[in-house]
Amino acid sequence: MQAPKFAASRSFHQELKRRTNAYFAEAGKSTTGGKTLFFKAVLLTAAFVAVYLHLVFWTPTAWVGVAECALLGFIGAAIGFNVMHDGAHGSFSKKKWMNQFAAFTLNVMGGNSYMWNAKHNLIHHMYTNVEGVDDDLDAQPWLRLSPEQPRRKLHRFQHLYFWFFYALLFIAWIFYMDYQKYFRGKIGEMPIKKMTASDQGVFWGFKVLHLGLFVALPIYMVGVVSWLVGFLVFMAVAGFTLSIVFQLAHTVEHTSFVVPHETTRKIEDEWAIHQIKTTANFATDNKVISWLVGGLNFQVEHHLFPNISHVHYPALNKIIRQMCAEFGVEYNEYPKMRYAVASHVAHLRELGRA
């Protein structure tokens, strides 16, 4: 498939970069996370390890165990939002090895950082909400997420059952989707760069490590039934948490879904304006949510500046809002998370009927 082409960059993106660079120069700040993010990473990682060790080696009672498995899934998702995500974008630290180390937390959890980079950093961030290219929109046949996708009878009820499929995301990701991409050499219809021997070793080595840490060892310590219940709870909570945060960023009522020109493959907007039109923020005044989701409620800021750490998004929010007001570009934001969830449900309901 030929990759789409954006309109040439105009004054909007150039001026936005100028103002952003000026902010960091005047504030004397680095674009990376710094000590604040490092402390958060240590705290979340220590919490995850502590809960894991208690579950596997101290074997709490059934109800406590289920609660701790749910907590483990939530902490795992938080590590993904705060540590892995910044590391994979190169914004966790000035040091390349530390960014790679942060990104590799995904490998320990069972995913693969190489596939994530190709799917998320290279394709999703470039071609956000572009039908047929952005793999994040592909949940067929179970869900219809964009207007250009075929509608099936079951989609009439997707606004009711989507919760279940979001809970399956993580387990499907690590046990099916990564392998599908690996053996096809494609993400959707977009080819991915050939993996080196080192990339291959990381892929298979960490897949085996994950099976050892999260399947074999727990089964040995607590038995098959207890492991299976706990593992499914852990995966469901992690999967749902990851899904809902990312879906609120792009598949809501006021974001655009773009189809490139059939023959030229051109997109009307320049890249920066395309990112604003296809993305939405939520609950940016809620410091607890912002802390837990790694600033991914500032999704507009993240899509415009993916190489800047999320700790700076509140400051960038003011700059981008001002730019949008000056250039007449609509800025999508929901003041509360529940409003964004309601909009996502309404979006699914509309696509299920239309």
Side-chain angles (χ1 to χ4, degrees), residues 122-143:
L122 301 181
I123 297 177
H124 170 69
H125 267 271
M126 178 61 72
Y127 305 111
T128 312
N129 276 16
V130 176
E131 177 56 39
V133 183
D134 186 358
D135 190 59
D136 282 10
L137 293 176
D138 185 14
Q140 292 286 321
W142 312 111
L143 295 169

Side-chain angles (χ1 to χ4, degrees), residues 45-341:
T45 303
F48 186 90
V49 172
V51 175
Y52 171 87
L53 292 176
H54 189 256
L55 279 166
V56 174
F57 294 100
W58 277 268
T59 315
T61 59
W63 290 110
V64 173
V66 169
E68 287 190 2
C69 287
L71 178 62
L72 192 70
F74 186 76
I75 297 172
I79 290 173
F81 295 142
N82 290 277
V83 183
M84 184 282 291
H85 194 247
D86 272 34
H89 280 293
S91 63
F92 184 87
S93 170
K94 293 180 180 179
K95 298 177 181 179
K96 184 177 180 180
W97 70 266
M98 190 171 288
N99 285 320
Q100 291 177 332
F101 189 82
F104 267 43
T105 55
L106 174 61
N107 297 329
V108 177
M109 297 283 190
N112 180 256
S113 54
Y114 185 94
M115 295 301 175
W116 171 264
N117 180 66
K119 170 186 168 67
H120 182 77
N121 295 6
L122 301 181
I123 297 177
H124 170 69
H125 267 271
M126 178 61 72
Y127 305 111
T128 312
N129 276 16
V130 176
E131 177 56 39
V133 183
D134 186 358
D135 190 59
D136 282 10
L137 293 176
D138 185 14
Q140 292 286 321
W142 312 111
L143 295 169
R144 185 182 187 226
L145 297 177
S146 81
E148 298 302 315
Q149 294 173 346
R151 187 175 69 87
R152 295 177 169 84
K153 290 182 179 180
L154 78 163
H155 294 153
R156 183 180 178 185
F157 305 102
Q158 66 176 3
H159 64 288
L160 300 175
Y161 65 68
F162 76 92
W163 314 90
F164 172 74
F165 284 100
Y166 286 2
L168 294 179
L169 168 75
F170 197 39
I171 197 166
W173 175 358
I174 64 177
F175 289 116
Y176 174 69
M177 295 177 189
D178 273 350
Y179 294 105
Q180 180 191 48
K181 295 174 177 61
Y182 178 89
F183 288 110
R184 289 183 70 239
K186 293 181 180 181
I187 295 177
E189 295 305 318
M190 298 290 288
I192 59 177
K193 183 180 178 181
K194 186 176 180 180
M195 300 175 76
T196 65
S198 175
D199 296 327
Q200 300 266 3
V202 169
F203 183 93
W204 290 108
F206 275 95
K207 288 294 185 182
V208 172
L209 175 64
H210 173 262
L211 289 174
L213 288 175
F214 292 94
V215 179
L217 180 60
I219 288 176
Y220 176 77
M221 296 299 297
V222 303
V224 174
V225 174
S226 295
W227 162 78
L228 182 60
V229 172
F231 186 72
L232 291 178
V233 170
F234 163 58
M235 284 289 176
V237 171
F240 181 81
T241 305
L242 291 167
S243 294
I244 198 65
V245 169
F246 283 111
Q247 292 293 5
L248 297 185
H250 304 292
T251 53
V252 288
E253 292 173 291
H254 301 98
T255 53
S256 297
F257 295 85
V258 179
V259 180
H261 190 277
E262 187 175 352
T263 54
T264 65
R265 300 291 291 165
K266 288 185 177 180
I267 293 173
E268 292 183 2
D269 290 313
E270 65 169 290
W271 177 84
I273 292 179
H274 171 86
Q275 296 303 318
I276 295 172
K277 287 183 177 181
T278 57
T279 307
N281 287 358
F282 65 90
T284 55
D285 290 333
N286 190 314
K287 296 185 182 301
V288 174
I289 290 178
S290 297
W291 193 92
L292 291 172
V293 305
L296 292 180
N297 51 333
F298 289 87
Q299 195 74 201
V300 174
E301 288 68 32
H302 173 59
H303 266 255
L304 288 170
F305 297 102
N307 296 326
I308 295 178
S309 175
H310 71 268
V311 302
H312 303 292
Y313 292 165
L316 297 187
N317 177 271
K318 298 175 182 178
I319 297 172
I320 297 167
R321 277 184 170 278
Q322 180 63 35
M323 282 283 300
C324 287
E326 291 177 17
F327 282 76
V329 179
E330 185 177 359
Y331 187 98
N332 300 311
E333 182 167 325
Y334 297 91
K336 305 288 185 181
M337 186 174 183
R338 65 178 181 271
Y339 297 162
V341 173

